[in-house]
Amino acid sequence: QLVESGGGSVQAGGSLRLSCTVSGDIIFTYFMGWFRQAPGKEREKVAIIDTDGTTNYADSVKGRFTISQDNSKNTLYLQMNNLKPEDTAMYYCQATQSVAALGLVGLGFWGRGTQVTVS
């Protein structure tokens, strides 16, 4: 039910915008988030948006990334600016009814991911 797109290869300092298309109406009532996983590392939170629009970011991306959603398009976005090599990872979006389930693989709905590579 979640499909990510927009990943790619960019040079350091560049920008990308990731999209997560959500089927059904879950974008209206679910917590939504972006997570990433680099090879050999655990999946980590990037940004979360609450049902009331409240956002929360990992310290490593504050001021560079922006999470947003367009309910009319059933789409979650992640605008990534001033990308750094350490941002290289597979990026996933998640939707969950429980804030406690955010970031927990196997809970809620997950997309298959989109690869971001920064050199």
Side-chain angles (χ1 to χ4, degrees), residues 4-69:
E4 302 96 336
S5 62
S9 296
V10 297
Q11 293 187 337
S15 298
L16 285 173
R17 188 176 79 158
L18 305 184
S19 299
C20 174
T21 302
V22 182
S23 61
D25 294 332
I26 62 175
I27 197 170
F28 296 101
T29 58
Y30 278 53
F31 295 93
M32 304 291 298
W34 286 99
F35 299 83
R36 66 187 181 188
Q37 188 167 17
K41 295 187 176 181
E42 293 186 354
R43 193 167 298 189
E44 64 176 4
K45 179 192 77 176
V46 176
I48 292 168
I49 186 165
D50 201 338
T51 53
D52 64 2
T54 302
T55 58
N56 182 271
Y57 296 91
D59 288 342
S60 59
V61 307
K62 282 181 181 178
R64 300 188 298 122
F65 291 11
T66 303
I67 188 172
S68 63
Q69 63 185 58

Side-chain angles (χ1 to χ4, degrees), residues 37-102:
Q37 188 167 17
K41 295 187 176 181
E42 293 186 354
R43 193 167 298 189
E44 64 176 4
K45 179 192 77 176
V46 176
I48 292 168
I49 186 165
D50 201 338
T51 53
D52 64 2
T54 302
T55 58
N56 182 271
Y57 296 91
D59 288 342
S60 59
V61 307
K62 282 181 181 178
R64 300 188 298 122
F65 291 11
T66 303
I67 188 172
S68 63
Q69 63 185 58
D70 185 337
N71 291 349
S72 68
K73 296 182 180 180
N74 278 15
T75 302
L76 179 74
Y77 299 102
L78 184 68
Q79 177 67 44
M80 306 186 295
N81 298 327
N82 190 22
L83 282 159
K84 303 176 180 180
E86 51 264 42
D87 296 318
T88 295
M90 184 72 78
Y91 284 70
Y92 301 88
C93 64
Q94 183 196 20
T96 174
Q97 288 184 299
S98 169
V99 66
L102 283 168

